[in-house]
Amino acid sequence: MKLIHEIKHLIHKEFLLEFRQKYAFAGVLLYVFSTVFICYLSFKKILVPANWNALFWIIVLFAAINAIAKSFLQENKGRQLYYYTLHSPVAVIVSKIIYNSILMLALSFLCFFCYGLLIKNNVQDIPFFILNIALGSLGFASVLTMVSAIASKTNNNFSLMAILSFPMLVPMLITLIKTSKYSVDGLDRSLSYPYFGVLLLINVLIIVLSVVLFPYLWRE
Amino acid sequence: MKKNWWKIAAVVLVLYSIIAGFLLKVPVLPILHETIRNLYFHVTMWFSMIILLFVSVWNSVRYLSGFNSKYDIVAKEAVHISIVFGLCGLATGMLWANYTWGEPWPNDPKLNGVAIAMLFYFAYLVLRNSIDEEQKRARIAAIYNIFAFVMFIVFTMILPRMTDSLHPGNGGNPGFGKYEDIDNNMRMVFYPAIIGWTLIGTWIMQLGIRYHKLNTIIHSNKN
């Protein structure tokens, strides 16, 4: 019960921080908009649905890395020490994962909206595509939160963030591209179920690993 | 001598697998023909790699439970030699694929999964080198190693089984042994080869650990 209470407080704190430093979130939004706009200017129209789908996921991937990298990198040593005295490490990592998932969900839906607006959206099964986006954002958020925690402990953290997270994200990305291709083409929904199972399994595994390993990572 | 019997066993087993692998009779199968002998080299590389990666992750867990830097060195050296085995596995696999599947890198989920796994472990080495403080490096590397190993198992064992793969045992393809494509003759070479290569890997790993130990002694004497 105490843990849930702590998590609630920490999530509230994350939102408050985000609200006070609006430039960070605005920066990520601008990044998404400009990427989509650049794609629009360079492609104008994408006729092959497979390309449309792959490009969408690549935009989301880079937006995710940019948005979540800061989640631990922005915290200085003093503040981390402060959390350490106040909360259990499990509460800290879980609250960060939940907060980043919410952030990613908002970001990728926005990305889907603008992308569909500028480059013609020809998804046939929109509810399932949205489900795909939701699962993908949760997965990206949980992987990147833990990787950002690892990278924040090193000297050159931003480049390391990319190196450490790409191998973990690529298989997830491939699975996502495959299932969302099914919804773009409007194929039978039962085709995507096993892949959803795998995505959920990866998500659960990553969250469990993060909760188990984060207490070791945290101690200085 | 008493302590070194396994090194002799390693050399004997690997030599046996090479000689017997090229000389013994193998089943005659379409497409595969004589390339089936590559099983003794290609598949053994992956087996040895996975065994050594397991050793590495086991030592990482032990490091986190006691913070004894001895285990960290074992974990690091095991990853080093696993990467060598992995690269050899890729090389032999590409050679084999070239003759049976027509191209060295067919778009196969297992190949892509393994390429990503190699990226994982290269990233592990980069991560190690980017932290100066020894205790901290050991701790963070151990955490990443556990993370990477679990993901590696998911990506190379579970994901390829869900999609169509050219590899036997994946995506509805029957595994080796279901058709009588591996007969007992081949098993007589295949299993000793796995043990032999794993022992060779352990030997190289041990040399690496000793080198590391001597290095730290020399450095501490200098200061």
Side-chain angles (χ1 to χ4, degrees):
Chain A
M1 230 33 236
K2 193 170 160 275
L3 194 67
I4 295 170
H5 191 70
E6 272 182 34
I7 290 170
K8 238 190 262 167
H9 264 284
L10 282 167
I11 293 173
H12 178 74
K13 176 229 94 186
E14 292 282 346
F15 275 107
L16 212 64
L17 268 184
E18 196 70 74
F19 189 71
R20 285 188 187 155
Q21 320 177 314
K22 291 187 197 82
Y23 67 89
F25 187 64
V28 177
L29 278 186
L30 199 59
Y31 180 87
V32 172
F33 282 132
S34 13
T35 318
V36 171
F37 200 63
I38 287 169
C39 290
Y40 164 65
L41 289 180
S42 27
F43 286 98
K44 293 282 171 13
K45 218 180 246 167
I46 301 179
L47 296 172
V48 186
N51 295 353
W52 184 91
N53 185 34
L55 190 63
F56 171 73
W57 282 109
I58 291 169
I59 295 172
V60 171
L61 173 72
F62 280 92
I65 291 175
N66 265 291
I68 299 177
K70 67 180 176 52
S71 76
F72 275 94
L73 304 186
Q74 71 173 5
E75 314 257 19
N76 54 24
K77 277 223 167 93
R79 202 192 278 164
Q80 285 194 5
L81 204 67
Y82 183 57
Y83 294 147
Y84 187 48
T85 55
L86 284 180
H87 302 288
S88 77
V90 176
V92 172
I93 188 79
V94 170
S95 68
K96 287 257 188 205
I97 289 176
I98 292 173
Y99 170 72
N100 282 332
S101 305
I102 296 169
L103 186 79
M104 261 317 291
L105 279 174
L107 208 62
S108 38
F109 284 134
L110 242 134
C111 183
F112 177 54
F113 180 71
C114 318
Y115 188 65
L117 210 65
L118 288 175
I119 305 173
K120 199 174 161 291
N121 172 0
N122 37 15
V123 179
Q124 312 228 3
D125 189 350
I126 287 183
F128 249 52
F129 195 82
I130 285 175
L131 192 62
N132 263 314
I133 295 177
L135 274 173
S137 336
L138 295 184
F140 285 175
S142 41
V143 169
L144 286 168
T145 309
M146 186 60 188
V147 170
S148 137
I150 292 175
S152 71
K153 301 282 175 192
T154 60
N155 302 335
N156 54 342
N157 29 41
F158 203 83
S159 63
L160 213 65
M161 173 90 196
I163 297 170
L164 295 181
S165 60
F166 272 139
M168 301 210 191
L169 291 175
V170 167
M172 213 188 283
L173 191 75
I174 294 168
T175 318
L176 281 167
I177 287 177
K178 206 174 268 169
T179 43
S180 52
K181 178 73 182 15
Y182 291 151
S183 3
V184 171
D185 292 341
L187 296 184
D188 191 39
R189 288 183 174 182
S190 63
L191 276 173
S192 343
Y193 291 145
Y195 294 102
F196 284 169
V198 168
L199 286 173
L200 272 178
L201 174 87
I202 294 177
N203 271 349
V204 170
L205 256 179
I206 288 166
I207 292 169
V208 168
L209 276 176
S210 309
V211 168
V212 172
L213 293 176
F214 188 68
Y216 292 103
L217 186 66
W218 208 19
R219 241 173 255 154
E220 279 289 337
Chain B
M1 204 61 205
K2 262 182 196 165
K3 274 185 185 167
N4 290 334
W5 62 270
W6 59 273
K7 292 175 189 166
I8 297 165
V11 174
V12 169
L13 284 173
V14 167
L15 273 179
Y16 161 74
S17 79
I18 293 171
I19 295 166
F22 280 118
L23 292 181
L24 280 186
K25 252 176 84 78
V26 290
V28 181
L29 294 168
I31 303 170
L32 279 172
H33 299 299
E34 290 292 319
T35 64
I36 199 170
R37 294 182 194 275
N38 200 0
L39 177 95
Y40 305 135
F41 307 101
H42 172 64
V43 185
T44 44
M45 286 298 137
W46 295 120
F47 270 83
S48 320
M49 175 184 155
I50 289 171
I51 292 167
L52 285 167
L53 283 181
F54 185 76
V55 170
S56 166
V57 91
W58 177 239
N59 278 289
S60 284
V61 172
R62 283 216 289 192
Y63 176 79
L64 285 183
S65 59
F67 298 107
N68 184 343
S69 64
K70 184 172 85 185
Y71 298 128
D72 175 54
I73 296 161
V74 179
K76 184 189 90 180
E77 293 299 332
V79 166
H80 275 193
I81 186 66
S82 308
I83 287 176
V84 174
F85 275 138
L87 292 178
C88 291
L90 274 182
T92 50
M94 278 161 81
L95 212 69
W96 200 359
N98 199 17
Y99 289 106
T100 49
W101 297 333
E103 48 184 334
W105 197 280
N107 188 14
D108 184 82
K110 205 139 194 171
L111 281 164
N112 295 336
V114 157
I116 290 162
M118 291 277 101
L119 285 183
F120 262 128
Y121 286 99
F122 285 129
Y124 171 81
L125 295 183
V126 172
L127 177 67
R128 284 194 75 94
N129 287 324
S130 70
I131 307 169
D132 298 325
E133 199 186 315
E134 239 168 75
Q135 291 285 323
K136 194 173 163 187
R137 180 203 305 156
R139 200 181 66 230
I140 291 164
I143 291 166
Y144 185 72
N145 194 14
I146 297 169
F147 217 66
F149 184 74
V150 175
M151 293 293 115
F152 166 73
I153 293 296
V154 172
F155 298 149
T156 52
M157 306 280 188
I158 300 172
L159 277 186
R161 281 190 165 68
M162 301 218 14
T163 47
D164 301 318
S165 171
L166 295 162
H167 276 88
N170 292 301
N173 280 352
F176 269 118
K178 283 239 177 90
Y179 298 138
E180 288 158 12
D181 46 5
I182 288 195
D183 55 10
N184 283 335
N185 235 340
M186 287 191 75
R187 288 210 175 85
M188 293 274 290
V189 183
F190 181 49
Y191 296 138
I194 296 173
I195 299 168
W197 283 109
T198 311
L199 287 179
I200 291 266
T202 318
W203 189 1
I204 299 173
M205 190 175 91
Q206 200 190 38
L207 290 178
I209 295 164
R210 283 181 181 164
Y211 173 77
H212 194 98
K213 268 185 197 159
L214 287 176
N215 234 351
T216 42
I217 291 170
I218 290 169
H219 276 286
S220 60
N221 281 352
K222 259 184 201 165
N223 295 336

